[in-house]
Amino acid sequence: MSKPIEFKAGTLPAMSAVIRELDNVRLSDSMHTMLGGLGEFFAGEATVIDLTQLVKVPDRADWVGLLSLLRRYGLQPIAVRQTPEHLIDSARKAGLAVLSSDTGRLTGERAVTAPTAAPVPAPAATAVAAKSEPAQASLDMTPPMTNASTMIIERPLRSGQQIYAKGGDVVILGGVSNGAEVIADGSIHCYGPLRGRALAGAQGDLKARILTTSFAPELVSIAGVYRTFERGIAANLAGKPAHAVLRASTAGQQTLNIETLQLD
Amino acid sequence: MTTRIVVVTSGKGGVGKTTSSASFASGLALRGFKTAVIDFDVGLRNLDLIMGCERRVVYDFVNVISGDANLHQALIKDKHCENLFVLPASQTRDKDALSEEGVEKVINDLKHMGFDYIVCDSPAGIEHGAIMALTFADEAIVVTNPEVSSIRDSDRILGILQSKSRRARDGQEPVKEHLLITRYSAKRVEEGEMLSYKDVQELLRVPLIGVIPESESVLQASNAGTPVIHTKDEEAADAYQDVVARFLGEERELRFVNFEKPGLFKRLFGG
């Protein structure tokens, strides 16, 4: 007869939210800028709050506020990692599991940073791996995407519709209407008029691009560097094949360039 | 033939959905198809006025759904054509009275009664009533005025059609889309005051089924309770005849889309 409950050790993939300032107002502003005020940006991923890079340790933390902030964007916080001693109790009270970076079980978080890089190893092996590369993986904003799959959208993306190609590129075969939004961790390839909002490199990939056969968007963004077109799009680009790409300027800053594409 | 369900929808209000539903359904019936036209605008009720059967409404769509009446009692036979039946909306109930199961049952009953076409006249907006009207559609006629906000709303409803319809949810062949442009003024397009039908089609990327010219007689016909398609020698009526023909697979060249300057004779003696 089967037992009504069983306990098994396991690893689960989770998102890691690396928080450098434990200040909900600043975090809220920053997330708003980064994610463009999109509610439910994430899709309920389990999330570990990572405090290993905390710049200044506050006296107290508003965990409840932080949790609701993360949830607002569709994240499901489950644990906190490297919690300062005096915040541990309050974190537990807020319902978070408290993990420490060198003794804790970090298997979940390991699986996050490189979701497709390797088959999930046995817990013991993972613990070793975690030790040898402490927190380094989560520093990297652009995890290597090995077999990241490309999302293909065969219908026009209509006003009010939104798609998110997680972990890879998106190819849209029918165009993107005004008022529609396409987001990808990788690049956006649009065969047809691109009239809505396009956000590539949503996780910070500076090499992502936005390519279209007919350039007419409301907004383009690559790794958070965005441009709107309130005064219209330059005549040499409007409705023409073009791509948006980040290029490092002499000052070392990334600027968003929009360049025409020669298709024939 | 199997019953085809056609939703007439737009997103935006006041663009001519009900007028188009009435004329389109009448056109199908005039061609000999047994046709039912259902008013989904529960709470407002316009279709029966445009069809001129408002005085004969005893039972309505919601009565049938809630089991207070059967379809035979509620269907009103059109006074202009033999094969056309109207299922009016209720004015006293709210939109939530339309349950998906209820709507499905009514549509299935109509299928069993041997209807060739069921035309669903959608309310404006993207709320429950509009969703119910498009849920069971095989084809959709998206009514759009040559104007940006109407185009944007049509685009929105097209997206909803491809995600919330039964066909989309069950992963079947997608709902067939048709673009119908109404209240078109070739003169204003010529003068650069209105988007051309080509611009509209370019923005929506849906096959065009017709362009209905802006016309006084549409309003007159609505007030008289006779769908405009019955009016003789009238551009809007002819344009709706073309829509029905194209819907049934016939080739028809677009008419009434080019502005011709009135000649001297017309200017002197009036049109």
Side-chain angles (χ1 to χ4, degrees):
Chain A
M1 210 179 109
S2 65
K3 285 175 277 185
I5 186 167
E6 259 183 89
F7 293 97
K8 289 184 172 174
T11 59
L12 83 159
M15 191 74 83
S16 182
V18 183
I19 289 177
R20 301 200 178 86
E21 291 178 59
L22 205 50
D23 173 346
N24 290 350
V25 177
R26 294 263 301 144
L27 288 173
S28 172
D29 283 353
S30 164
M31 282 175 83
H32 186 83
T33 317
M34 210 194 271
L35 307 177
L38 301 171
E40 305 286 307
F41 182 85
F42 297 100
E45 287 94 338
T47 304
V48 175
I49 300 167
D50 185 342
L51 301 181
T52 46
Q53 296 181 39
L54 206 57
V55 179
K56 179 174 165 289
V57 179
D59 297 335
R60 50 183 299 277
D62 176 8
W63 293 112
V64 176
L66 178 61
L67 297 188
S68 85
L69 176 63
L70 294 173
R71 287 198 189 107
R72 201 181 311 154
Y73 288 92
L75 290 168
Q76 183 56 56
I78 51 168
V80 58
R81 181 182 171 203
Q82 189 83 329
T83 321
E85 200 69 45
H86 64 284
L87 297 176
I88 288 182
D89 270 357
S90 58
R92 288 216 174 96
K93 275 191 191 128
L96 289 164
V98 175
L99 312 173
S100 94
S101 65
D102 37 354
T103 60
R105 298 168 52 95
L106 300 173
T107 50
E109 203 228 354
R110 276 288 303 159
V112 181
T113 32
T116 49
V120 180
T126 321
V128 173
K131 227 181 261 177
S132 61
E133 267 176 66
Q136 207 51 44
S138 57
L139 248 176
D140 188 359
M141 287 295 281
T142 56
M145 291 171 218
T146 44
N147 50 11
S149 63
T150 299
M151 184 189 268
I152 299 181
I153 307 291
E154 300 198 39
R155 297 196 62 82
L157 202 63
R158 301 282 183 188
S159 176
Q161 291 185 318
Q162 186 193 58
I163 53 151
Y164 172 35
K166 192 173 165 176
D169 287 9
V170 60
V171 175
I172 301 146
L173 299 178
V176 179
S177 294
N178 289 98
E181 185 165 62
V182 50
I183 305 164
D185 288 347
S187 296
I188 294 169
H189 311 255
C190 177
Y191 297 86
L194 176 60
R195 300 193 176 109
R197 293 155 60 96
L199 298 93
Q203 304 259 27
D205 184 358
L206 301 173
K207 292 197 216 68
R209 291 188 187 204
I210 297 167
L211 307 103
T212 175
T213 54
S214 172
F215 190 83
E218 294 165 338
L219 175 148
V220 286
S221 162
I222 294 172
V225 183
Y226 69 91
R227 182 171 315 166
T228 55
F229 302 92
E230 215 165 309
R231 302 225 180 92
I233 295 168
N236 64 322
L237 291 169
K240 305 267 170 30
H243 68 151
V245 56
L246 279 185
R247 301 209 189 274
S249 68
T250 41
Q253 271 203 330
Q254 298 288 345
T255 53
L256 185 61
N257 287 15
I258 296 159
E259 298 160 9
T260 51
L261 279 179
Q262 195 64 40
L263 290 189
D264 41 31
Chain B
M1 66 180 270
T2 55
T3 314
R4 294 289 284 177
I5 301 162
V6 186
V7 61
V8 178
T9 186
S10 73
K12 196 171 168 64
V15 296
K17 279 183 298 295
T18 303
T19 302
S20 297
S21 298
S23 280
F24 177 69
S26 300
L28 288 172
L30 288 172
R31 295 262 188 146
F33 294 103
K34 191 176 176 190
T35 306
V37 53
I38 308 177
D39 189 350
F40 275 77
D41 204 349
V42 172
L44 286 175
R45 218 182 106 180
N46 284 163
L47 182 67
D48 49 328
L49 289 170
I50 288 180
M51 304 288 293
C53 62
E54 75 277 10
R55 288 167 195 277
R56 288 187 287 150
V57 174
V58 180
Y59 295 110
D60 58 48
F61 192 18
V62 172
N63 290 140
V64 178
I65 287 178
S66 56
D68 301 334
N70 65 38
L71 259 178
H72 293 279
Q73 291 172 301
L75 282 173
I76 301 171
K77 194 166 172 307
D78 182 58
K79 61 183 176 190
H80 305 287
C81 26
E82 193 61 29
N83 298 313
L84 182 59
F85 295 83
V86 182
L87 185 52
S90 163
Q91 203 155 20
T92 51
R93 307 287 283 270
D94 64 48
K95 287 175 201 266
D96 298 328
L98 297 178
S99 65
E100 187 167 328
E101 302 73 40
V103 174
E104 184 169 24
K105 184 170 182 303
V106 171
I107 284 178
N108 283 337
D109 289 351
L110 288 169
K111 283 182 181 173
H112 289 135
M113 288 165 76
F115 279 95
D116 297 312
Y117 289 101
I118 302 170
V119 177
C120 302
D121 179 24
S122 172
I126 51 172
E127 310 283 316
H128 183 70
I131 307 288
M132 283 302 111
L134 63 77
T135 297
F136 300 96
D138 299 307
E139 306 196 32
I141 294 179
V142 178
V143 184
T144 307
N145 289 168
E147 180 240 319
V148 275
S149 64
S150 173
I151 294 168
R152 178 73 71 96
D153 291 357
S154 292
D155 196 61
R156 183 93 167 86
I157 207 83
L158 282 161
I160 291 171
L161 201 60
Q162 298 308 347
S163 58
K164 298 228 166 130
S165 61
R166 265 293 163 88
R167 281 178 170 269
R169 273 161 30 197
D170 295 351
Q172 297 173 38
E173 196 183 316
V175 176
K176 192 172 173 193
E177 302 160 341
H178 307 276
L179 173 63
L180 177 61
I181 300 174
T182 54
R183 312 190 75 165
Y184 193 77
S185 165
K187 178 167 179 283
R188 293 186 58 204
V189 172
E190 180 79 19
E191 288 163 356
E193 292 173 4
M194 189 182 260
L195 291 171
S196 75
Y197 71 91
K198 286 181 185 139
D199 294 334
V200 179
Q201 200 196 353
E202 219 270 309
L203 284 163
L204 287 171
R205 287 158 291 141
V206 170
L208 188 65
I209 198 168
V211 177
I212 311 296
E214 170 92 80
S215 160
E216 282 283 315
S217 59
V218 173
L219 183 65
Q220 285 162 13
S222 297
N223 288 339
T226 306
V228 70
I229 197 167
H230 296 293
T231 314
K232 291 274 172 286
D233 299 321
E234 163 52 42
E235 290 189 348
D238 293 348
Y240 275 118
Q241 294 284 8
D242 288 355
V243 169
V244 174
R246 290 189 198 103
F247 182 82
L248 296 171
E250 296 168 25
E251 293 272 342
R252 289 281 172 102
E253 216 164 299
L254 270 185
R255 294 195 271 176
F256 321 118
V257 291
N258 296 313
F259 178 61
E260 282 161 37
K261 289 219 171 71
L264 180 66
F265 185 81
K266 204 169 181 185
R267 266 188 281 161
L268 285 175
F269 300 103

